[in-house]
């Protein structure tokens, strides 16, 4: 059980981390380009609405059974929430703060790292929280396509009509979700305080 | 004051028109600023005085004419390196809330690649210059500063990297009127010591008269008058300038008397 919980956490953490690595820089690039941002949001939104089992089935066709297909699905689903929240956070930075950062002659990367990202961080964390909770739920489906994590316990319990395994798996998923929710909420509170000085 | 070429800053028929608008925000502005001079720019809200300031650090681009810094056309400079040589402070200061006072002050020197020890020493020096104890204020966040303290930090940040020009856009606009004269006097002291060429935008005529070596009067994007406070108060070149700077007879006399006191104290 512990091994399955750890595998589940690792699966979700990796998926969200990869999605954040793609979505946050994309938000930094596209937040100032409304037309391109709308197109990208529409694309990610469309991917987000694809039923998860259907997406997994397609991915298995190309990648095969196992964790890789599950990871790719997790990344695809996490992108939308992280990207949208990051864009919203970046756009909510007061214009005068952006202007002062530009007027000081800070290089673009320094404006991103030292001004824009810290000020948008509460919203970015909010996106990460939503994406993480979604991933924790979605990762259980990985058990259906040969992935690791609590999904294997749940699907095995389902196949064996073993109520105890089903409940154990479900409780594990809920516990991880509650833990993640608490951790992100706490982090968001700290970051929000810091961002407001 | 006598202006000697080469000018620290020169506007030559500079015009600005914002996209989608029919009228000029600035039209045919020509003026020169001498090295070390403090030029106050006064005008009503929306007159174009902040736009004039923002042309210098290219937050706003000209549609016509040119601006030169130390005889070099503005567009010859790469934008970010140019801006690092121009101090900028605005009303409400624009300090970054998530950074400490020291981190705010370090932003430009870090971008210029100064070594850490030099940055730290300069932070202490600048905080002392604006009468804030470095031991107390280095680690404070902007939220823990009073309006006057935040304004001092804003000025210190603008002066951190020995700018060739200083642009101040109504820096005391949000400051308690009781504290304002003290901050104005402090600013004059700091600028005299640093000998930094400064453009100071204000809509407060008394502030413009008190601080400026010369005053530029802007109205609806046009330069109405430019001259020393004494010259403009004694011989305003047009009705608009006379009305703005002199007011009624009583106010005119009051301002002349205040100016005389200021001239004696210099």
């Amino acid at each position: 059980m512990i091994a399955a919980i750890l595998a589940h956490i690792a699966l979700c953490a990796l998926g969200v981390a990869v999605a954040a690595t793609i979505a946050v820089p994309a938000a930094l690039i596209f937040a100032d380009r409304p037309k391109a941002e709308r197109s990208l949001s529409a694309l990610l939104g469309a991917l987000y609405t694809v039923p998860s089992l259907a997406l997994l089935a397609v991915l298995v066709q190309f990648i095969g059974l196992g964790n890789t297909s599950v990871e790719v699905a997790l990344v695809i689903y996490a992108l939308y929430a992280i990207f949208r929240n990051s864009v919203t956070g970046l756009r909510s930075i007061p214009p005068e703060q952006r202007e002062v950062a530009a007027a000081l002659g800070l290089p673009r990367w320094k404006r991103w790292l030292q001004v824009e990202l810290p000020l948008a961080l509460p919203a970015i964390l909010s996106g990460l929280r939503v994406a993480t909770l979604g991933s924790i739920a979605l990762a259980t489906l990985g058990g259906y396509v040969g992935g690791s994590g609590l999904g294997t316990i749940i699907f095995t319990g389902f196949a064996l009509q073993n109520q105890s395994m089903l409940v154990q798996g479900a409780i594990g998923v809920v516990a991880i979700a509650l833990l993640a929710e608490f951790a992100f909420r706490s982090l968001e509170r700290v970051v929000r305080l810091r961002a407001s000085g | 004051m006598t202006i000697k070429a080469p000018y620290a800053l020169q506007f030559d028929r500079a015009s600005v028109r914002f996209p989608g608008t029919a009228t000029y925000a600035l039209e045919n502005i020509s003026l020169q600023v001498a090295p070390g001079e403090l030029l106050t720019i006064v005008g009503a809200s929306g007159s174009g005085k902040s736009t004039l300031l923002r042309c210098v650090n290219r937050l706003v681009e000209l549609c016509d004419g040119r601006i030169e810094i130390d005889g070099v056309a503005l567009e010859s400079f790469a934008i970010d390196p140019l801006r690092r040589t121009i101090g900028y402070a605005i009303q409400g200061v624009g300090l970054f809330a998530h950074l400490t006072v020291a981190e705010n002050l370090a932003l430009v020197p870090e971008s210029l690649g100064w070594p850490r020890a030099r940055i730290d020493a300069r932070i202490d020096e600048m905080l002392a210059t604006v009468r804030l104890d470095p031991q107390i204020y280095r680690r404070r966040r902007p939220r823990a500063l009073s309006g006057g303290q935040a304004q001092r930090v804003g000025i210190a940040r603008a002066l951190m990297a020995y700018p060739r020009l200083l642009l101040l856009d109504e820096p005391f606009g949000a400051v308690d009127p009781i504290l304002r004269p003290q901050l104005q006097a402090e600013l004059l002291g700091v600028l005299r010591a640093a000998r930094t060429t400064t453009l100071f935008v204000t809509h407060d005529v008394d502030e413009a008269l008190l601080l400026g070596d010369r005053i530029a009067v802007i109205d609806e994007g046009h330069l109405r008058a430019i001259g020393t406070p004494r010259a403009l108060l004694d011989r305003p070149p047009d009705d608009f300038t006379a009305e703005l700077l002199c007011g009624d007879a009583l106010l005119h006399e009051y301002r002349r008397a205040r100016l005389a006191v200021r001239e004696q104290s210099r």
Side-chain angles (χ1 to χ4, degrees), chain A residues 93 96-111 113-119 191-197, chain B residues 54 57 59 79-81 83-84 86 88 90 93-99 103-104 106-108 110-111 141-144 157-158:
Chain A
I93 296 171
E96 64 271 20
Q97 297 258 294
R98 281 169 168 263
E99 185 182 292
V100 167
L104 292 176
L106 305 184
R108 195 72 191 93
W109 65 268
K110 202 171 168 75
R111 268 183 267 165
L113 285 182
Q114 285 198 283
V115 178
E116 295 179 16
L117 273 180
L119 291 174
V191 166
R192 212 172 285 278
L193 268 177
R194 195 178 144 79
S196 64
Chain B
R54 290 149 54 90
N57 58 3
L59 288 173
I79 289 186
D80 284 342
R83 287 173 176 167
R84 279 175 227 142
I86 299 176
Y88 184 63
I90 58 172
V93 184
L95 294 178
F96 298 115
H98 62 290
L99 302 178
E103 288 166 345
N104 266 286
L107 284 169
V108 176
E110 279 173 0
S111 299
R141 290 191 188 278
R143 203 171 61 170
R157 183 176 66 183

Side-chain angles (χ1 to χ4, degrees), chain A residues 48-186:
Chain A
Y48 189 71
T49 58
V50 174
S52 41
L53 266 178
L55 181 65
L56 277 171
V58 171
L59 289 172
V60 166
Q61 296 296 315
F62 290 98
I63 303 170
L65 291 169
N67 274 342
T68 310
S69 294
V70 183
E71 282 296 5
V72 173
L74 292 180
V75 170
I76 288 172
Y77 280 112
L79 282 172
Y80 182 68
I82 300 173
F83 180 74
R84 281 301 317 150
N85 277 271
S86 302
V87 167
T88 304
L90 289 165
R91 287 185 179 162
S92 67
I93 296 171
E96 64 271 20
Q97 297 258 294
R98 281 169 168 263
E99 185 182 292
V100 167
L104 292 176
L106 305 184
R108 195 72 191 93
W109 65 268
K110 202 171 168 75
R111 268 183 267 165
W112 279 345
L113 285 182
Q114 285 198 283
V115 178
E116 295 179 16
L117 273 180
L119 291 174
L121 200 53
I124 294 171
L125 278 176
S126 184
L128 287 173
R129 176 171 52 80
V130 172
T132 302
L133 294 178
S135 296
I136 290 168
L138 179 66
T140 53
L141 290 179
Y144 191 66
V145 293
S148 56
L150 289 164
T152 53
I153 294 180
I154 291 172
F155 278 101
T156 307
F158 189 71
L160 300 175
Q161 294 291 299
N162 183 329
Q163 291 279 353
S164 166
M165 284 183 85
L166 276 170
V167 171
Q168 275 183 45
I171 287 175
V173 170
V174 171
I176 295 172
L178 286 175
L179 199 68
E181 170 81 11
F182 174 75
F184 272 106
R185 289 274 184 202
S186 305

